Structure formats: structure tokens, C-alpha cells
Amino acid sequence: MIKPIRKAILPVAGLGTRFLPATKAVPKEMLTIVDRPIIQYVVDEARAAGIEHIVFVTGRNKHVIEDHFDIAYELEDTLKSRNKSAALELLEKNRPLPGSTSFTRQQAPLGLGHAIWCARDIIGDEPFAILLPDVIIKSQTSCLKQMVDLYNNEGGNVIAVEEVPEDQTHQYGIVELSDQINSNASRISNMVEKPEPGTAPSNLMITGRYILQPEIFDLLSKQSTGAGGEIQLTDSMLTLMKEQSFSSLTFKGRSYDCGNKAGFLSANIAFGMDDPKLAEELVPFMREMIDQPLAAE
Ligand code: UTP
């Protein structure tokens, strides 16, 4: 029997060093894309996929994430007394149901695999999703929902993948495929982290969305540190792949890696362009910046 995907882990314990000094006191996940923090986009994607419970794996200086998903009594009281009903509705819409979130601490940033392992007791013995919160995905249908639909037919483990230009494969985790399941999905036979240029087994990169079976926790608990002195999730997934099926899904949509500056700025432009009023101001500005970058100063 295929067990439903009810829970998701969002690991937010990283240091965010690529965004210092912005991330000295503010978590990377709270930087804004247009008018919402990055983490809100990812929580919305999970909820649109039917996720009932979100486990945040946090670290030091991340309490503001917990506050963001809580009631802000004083603010909401003031909004009520000023009849700001639209703003109040927006806050309510963005708030998860009471009791549908958990927060656990990764006491030291020992790697993504270790962060996931820290959520083992809250997840228990059921399959679950992982959403890396620095990647946000612009799509008609929630990327995780597309993955859950594939999982509900195939079971096993599912990894979201996206095409990258051949000359960039050495920057990413890349999958090797075997049998095709349908036009967007295949079985995965191997995964390679940052393959040497010209040696990648495909042009499909791992995008930061996973559905995994709970047996991964046992493997993570036995795993020693790998690349960069960290406990890597990929190493345990490769071991699990010897016993369980892994499927790739080339989702419909586009990812933005907000963990790096170019991806973060691109996401702001892409999501900003969705608002016709903003687009009206942004388009002439971007034209000006391209044609005469210095004149815009
Ligand atoms: P990154 O590799 O982007 O690391 O982690 P980082 O610390 O967030 O950022 P930089 O590289 O220093 O700028 C990918 C995801 O895994 C989480 C991060 O929070 C991020 O969502 N992570 C990483 C943890 O939760 N714990 C870790 O020990 C490492």
C-alpha cells in the first residue's frame, strides 16, 4: 500500500554565509521576494500539495521564522481597530493551522543530511517531503503537488529535476536515468554531485524537492561525514537506492536558487513581473539599465 505524504521537512539551520552581512541577524529564509519572505513561498507550495504538518529544522538566530508563522496579537489588534480588513485577511491566509507546525533545533550546522535526521522523531515511520527553502519554484501547479501525484502512482522515493545547460552541469547534483515512466518521469539509477565538466550522466539537476521513505533516517544515523566535512543527504539516498526505487520528475515550472545573489535577484524580477502595476514600472527601468546602465544612476 502507498502511504500518503502528510508531513514535510524544511531545513532552515544553514548559516547563509553567501548573503553576509544581510544574514548576520536576519535568517536567509526571511529575505523578501517582492513582498513575502522566501520561506512563505515554500510553505505555500507545501500546503498546496496537501501537506498537513511542517517540520522546521532551525538553528540559532532563527526564532523570527517561528514568529512569522504565529499570530502577531498587537499588530492584528491594531489592524482590527483601524478596519484594515484586507491586511488582516492576508495575515490569516498566510498562517498555518494551529498545531500544524513543529520546530526542532539542529544544534550545529553539520550538513543537510544531519538536519533532516534531526526531524526523525517528529516524522516517525511514514514517507515525507523535503523542501529546501532557499529554492522557490514558479509554476502553475505546486511543484510538490506534481511530485505527490507521481508518488501516488509509483510509490518509492521521488526527486524533482530540472534541465540545465550542458556546460553548467558541474555546478549541480545530476541524476542518471534508466527506465522511462512517462514523458516527465523516469527511474533514477545513480546521482552524482558536481560531476567533472563533460562527464555528467544527464543534464537534469536535482532541484531541492524530495519525497523520501522513512528508512532514510536509519541510513543517516549510521552515516559518517562526506564532502566538506558534512553529513550529505545524497550519500544516504544512494545507499537507499540499492533497495528502493527512486523516480525523477521533470516538473512543470522554473526554480530560483535564492541562496545565491543572481538567483535571488532573478526571483524578485520574475515574481515582481506577475504584478501588472509593478511590471509597468519595472520594464522601462530594466530597458534603461540594459541600454544605458550609467545613465540610471
Ligand atoms: P546551503 O548549502 O545553501 O547552506 O544549504 P547555507 O548555510 O544555507 O548557505 P551558505 O552556503 O552558507 O550561503 C541548503 C539548505 O540546507 C539547510 C540550509 O538552511 C538550506 O536551506 N542546511 C544546510 C541546514 O539546515 N543545516 C546544515 O547543516 C546545512
Side-chain angles (χ1 to χ4, degrees), residues 11-26:
V12 293
L15 298 177
T17 52
R18 284 170 290 172
F19 269 96
L20 283 170
T23 48
K24 188 177 168 201
V26 177

Side-chain angles (χ1 to χ4, degrees), residues 239-264:
T239 310
L240 190 59
M241 200 180 285
K242 290 179 189 151
E243 283 161 19
Q244 295 187 7
S245 77
F246 273 70
S247 310
S248 68
L249 176 74
T250 308
F251 60 93
K252 292 194 172 64
R254 178 171 175 175
S255 74
Y256 293 87
D257 180 0
C258 298
N260 73 63
K261 289 171 198 168
F264 174 77

Side-chain angles (χ1 to χ4, degrees), residues 25-272:
V26 177
K28 174 172 73 172
E29 299 78 12
M30 289 302 291
L31 301 180
T32 43
I33 303 296
V34 188
D35 55 5
R36 290 189 286 162
I38 295 172
I39 192 87
Q40 182 78 56
Y41 289 84
V42 183
V43 165
D44 290 351
E45 179 190 335
R47 291 170 78 195
I51 294 296
E52 296 164 17
H53 195 104
I54 294 180
V55 185
F56 295 88
V57 180
T58 71
R60 301 186 77 74
N61 288 334
K62 302 280 179 162
H63 53 271
V64 63
I65 296 177
E66 204 162 339
D67 292 344
H68 177 75
F69 290 109
D70 198 1
I71 290 182
Y73 281 106
E74 281 180 10
L75 171 66
E76 295 187 27
D77 234 37
T78 311
L79 292 175
K80 243 179 242 160
S81 66
R82 292 183 187 174
N83 289 324
K84 301 268 186 198
S85 51
L88 266 171
E89 262 171 45
L90 184 70
L91 294 184
E92 261 166 40
K93 197 174 111 234
N94 286 340
R95 196 162 52 227
L97 291 172
S100 68
T101 52
S102 297
F103 295 82
T104 188
R105 279 261 184 136
Q106 184 190 21
Q107 292 155 341
L110 300 177
L112 176 60
H114 181 259
I116 300 306
W117 178 75
C118 289
R120 67 199 179 282
D121 282 352
I122 305 172
I123 297 293
D125 188 25
E126 57 180 286
F128 61 97
I130 300 172
L131 296 94
L132 296 196
D134 38 12
V135 176
I136 58 174
I137 295 178
K138 200 162 182 295
S139 57
Q140 296 282 328
T141 305
S142 150
C143 172
L144 186 62
K145 166 85 173 73
Q146 298 176 47
M147 295 170 71
V148 167
D149 288 346
L150 176 68
Y151 166 83
N152 286 341
N153 284 326
E154 298 296 320
N157 304 269
V158 179
I159 295 182
V161 298
E162 190 174 15
E163 280 185 22
V164 282
E166 306 267 349
D167 62 354
Q168 289 175 25
T169 49
H170 63 283
Q171 299 171 30
Y172 303 102
I174 301 289
V175 294
E176 182 172 348
L177 304 180
S178 55
D179 304 337
Q180 197 175 30
I181 300 168
N182 61 41
S183 56
N184 299 319
S186 294
R187 291 272 178 258
I188 301 176
S189 54
N190 194 11
M191 288 179 279
V192 194
E193 275 301 331
K194 301 187 177 164
E196 290 292 316
T199 66
S202 75
N203 66 340
L204 295 172
M205 71 156 176
I206 297 172
T207 311
R209 300 290 184 268
Y210 312 79
I211 288 174
L212 295 178
Q213 295 295 324
E215 286 76 19
I216 196 82
F217 291 123
D218 259 355
L219 299 172
L220 285 169
S221 67
K222 289 178 203 140
Q223 195 182 298
S224 48
T225 50
E230 296 191 334
I231 296 184
Q232 302 288 347
L233 181 62
T234 311
D235 293 345
S236 282
M237 289 197 297
L238 282 169
T239 310
L240 190 59
M241 200 180 285
K242 290 179 189 151
E243 283 161 19
Q244 295 187 7
S245 77
F246 273 70
S247 310
S248 68
L249 176 74
T250 308
F251 60 93
K252 292 194 172 64
R254 178 171 175 175
S255 74
Y256 293 87
D257 180 0
C258 298
N260 73 63
K261 289 171 198 168
F264 174 77
L265 292 172
S266 304
N268 263 298
I269 295 169
F271 283 89

